Amino acid sequence: MGKKLKSDALLMLTALIWGTSFVAQKEGMDLIGPLAFNGIRTLIGALVLIPVILLLNGKKGEDTRTPEEKKTEKKLLIIGGVCCGLVLCLAGNVQQIGIFYTSVSHSGFITAMYVVIVPLLGLFLKKRVPLVIWCCVAASAVGLYLLCIPASGFGHVNKGDLIILLCAVLFAVHILVIDYFSPKVDGTKMSCIQFFVAGILSLIFMAPVDSALGFDLPTVSTVIGSWLPILYSGVLSCGVAYTLQIVAQKDADPTVASMILCLESVFALIAGMIILGEMMSVREVVGCVLMFAAIVVANLPTKQPDKL
């Protein structure tokens, strides 16, 4: 198997894991609250990355950096990890709460909207938005309307869809924060730190938030009862899939990689239908198609936008 074909296969597996993880996230809240679930699984993801970091460090050559450069990078690594962790905590928990109220298929496609939202947030960084992105925004808005607004009107909107839309905005912010810090520090180490930060913060705020949503504080028995979705979303989604992405993108074309990873939303839809028996109307399917097309086009390479 050639390197590119192998990379594409690994990226496809990554998208499959992330897509089906939406099912695990929904099923995991049968016994424990969203913040408890998210906190535990995120900490597990952080622990899974530790051996990956040790392995990658063992393969690195001689470190020629000066002590001052090492100190500066370490400081930036911690700052970046904490900043990413704060945003990830918000985004991940808002998503987890939204999944509790809406379907896996809706969650997958609306979350993927962050791809279209990122360029819009770039306006605050004084970057011009290409015309093709504005077209993608318009198409995704129409798709979102068809997916989330029933024929009966706005009065019957699922609040879970609105919560997931907020989650997409927060994940777009998360992408921008990562984009700022990742070129300056070790990405795997920063990801490990952000998982620890997000997990610890989730558990700190677990009691008031989960109680307000009607969940009791988790016990050993309830956590054990949710072991499968916790481990699946923690070990596979946070740890394994992230590692696969790092390995695969070394030999993959960036455009092709982004196209394949877009399939996460499609896999979420398929998993929701097969595992949870979720069904979609023709109206919702058309909305998904429009949103997916917008997401794919938004990932295509464009001329670097100029600053305003």
Side-chain angles (χ1 to χ4, degrees):
M1 181 184 294
K3 285 186 177 181
K4 287 189 177 181
L5 184 58
K6 182 179 179 181
S7 296
D8 291 350
L10 291 177
L11 288 169
M12 184 74 74
L13 179 58
T14 301
L16 175 62
I17 293 173
W18 281 341
T20 52
S21 182
F22 280 95
V23 173
Q25 289 177 247
K26 190 170 184 68
E27 292 289 278
M29 288 185 290
D30 284 346
L31 298 176
I32 61 177
L35 265 69
F37 178 85
N38 207 44
I40 296 171
R41 69 125 175 176
T42 308
L43 288 176
I44 290 175
L47 294 174
V48 171
L49 281 181
I50 291 178
V52 176
I53 293 171
L54 295 175
L55 179 63
L56 292 177
N57 283 346
K59 292 184 176 181
K60 288 182 179 179
E62 182 181 353
D63 193 344
T64 58
R65 294 174 301 168
T66 65
E68 187 63 31
E69 288 175 334
K70 291 180 182 179
K71 183 178 179 180
T72 301
E73 183 175 335
K74 183 177 180 181
K75 180 180 179 181
L76 195 60
L77 174 64
I78 294 174
I79 294 174
V82 171
C83 290
C84 290
L86 288 171
V87 182
L88 179 63
C89 177
L90 286 173
N93 285 312
V94 168
Q95 182 189 61
Q96 198 63 34
I97 293 170
I99 289 175
F100 178 68
Y101 292 108
T102 191
S103 67
V104 166
S105 51
H106 280 215
S107 299
F109 276 94
I110 299 174
T111 298
M113 283 281 292
Y114 73 84
V115 173
V116 180
I117 296 172
V118 166
L120 296 184
L121 293 182
L123 287 172
F124 294 99
L125 302 177
K126 296 184 178 180
K127 291 184 177 181
R128 295 186 184 277
V129 177
L131 177 60
V132 65
I133 296 298
W134 286 114
C135 294
C136 290
V137 171
S140 60
V142 174
L144 188 66
Y145 175 84
L146 294 175
L147 178 66
C148 302
I149 311 299
S152 52
F154 285 90
H156 298 83
V157 176
N158 186 326
K159 66 179 179 180
D161 291 343
L162 298 178
I163 295 173
I164 294 293
L165 184 58
L166 173 59
C167 145
V169 175
L170 290 171
F171 270 122
V173 174
H174 183 244
I175 291 295
L176 293 176
V177 176
I178 290 177
D179 184 62
Y180 176 80
F181 285 103
S182 60
K184 304 175 178 67
V185 298
D186 185 305
T188 312
K189 291 180 181 178
M190 186 174 74
S191 185
C192 185
I193 293 173
Q194 75 163 351
F195 284 152
F196 271 120
V197 171
I200 292 171
L201 287 176
S202 296
L203 295 183
I204 289 175
F205 292 100
M206 166 184 68
V209 176
D210 284 358
S211 297
L213 294 172
F215 288 93
D216 295 326
L217 290 178
T219 62
V220 174
S221 60
T222 55
V223 172
I224 293 176
S226 304
W227 70 270
L228 183 57
I230 288 176
L231 286 182
Y232 187 91
S233 59
V235 175
L236 290 181
S237 180
C238 293
V240 174
Y242 177 80
T243 305
L244 287 176
Q245 182 187 15
I246 293 174
V247 173
Q249 288 196 203
K250 288 182 179 180
D251 299 308
D253 177 88
T255 303
V256 174
S258 62
M259 296 298 103
I260 295 174
L261 291 177
C262 282
L263 292 173
E264 172 190 353
S265 56
V266 177
F267 285 130
L269 168 63
I270 296 172
M273 295 176 67
I274 295 177
I275 301 174
L276 301 180
E278 295 179 351
M279 300 299 293
M280 300 184 74
S281 65
V282 174
R283 177 190 180 93
E284 291 174 318
V285 171
V286 172
C288 287
V289 171
L290 278 173
M291 292 173 70
F292 184 70
I295 292 166
V296 170
V297 173
N299 270 291
L300 293 174
T302 56
K303 183 181 179 180
Q304 185 67 26
D306 300 322
K307 289 189 175 183
L308 294 172

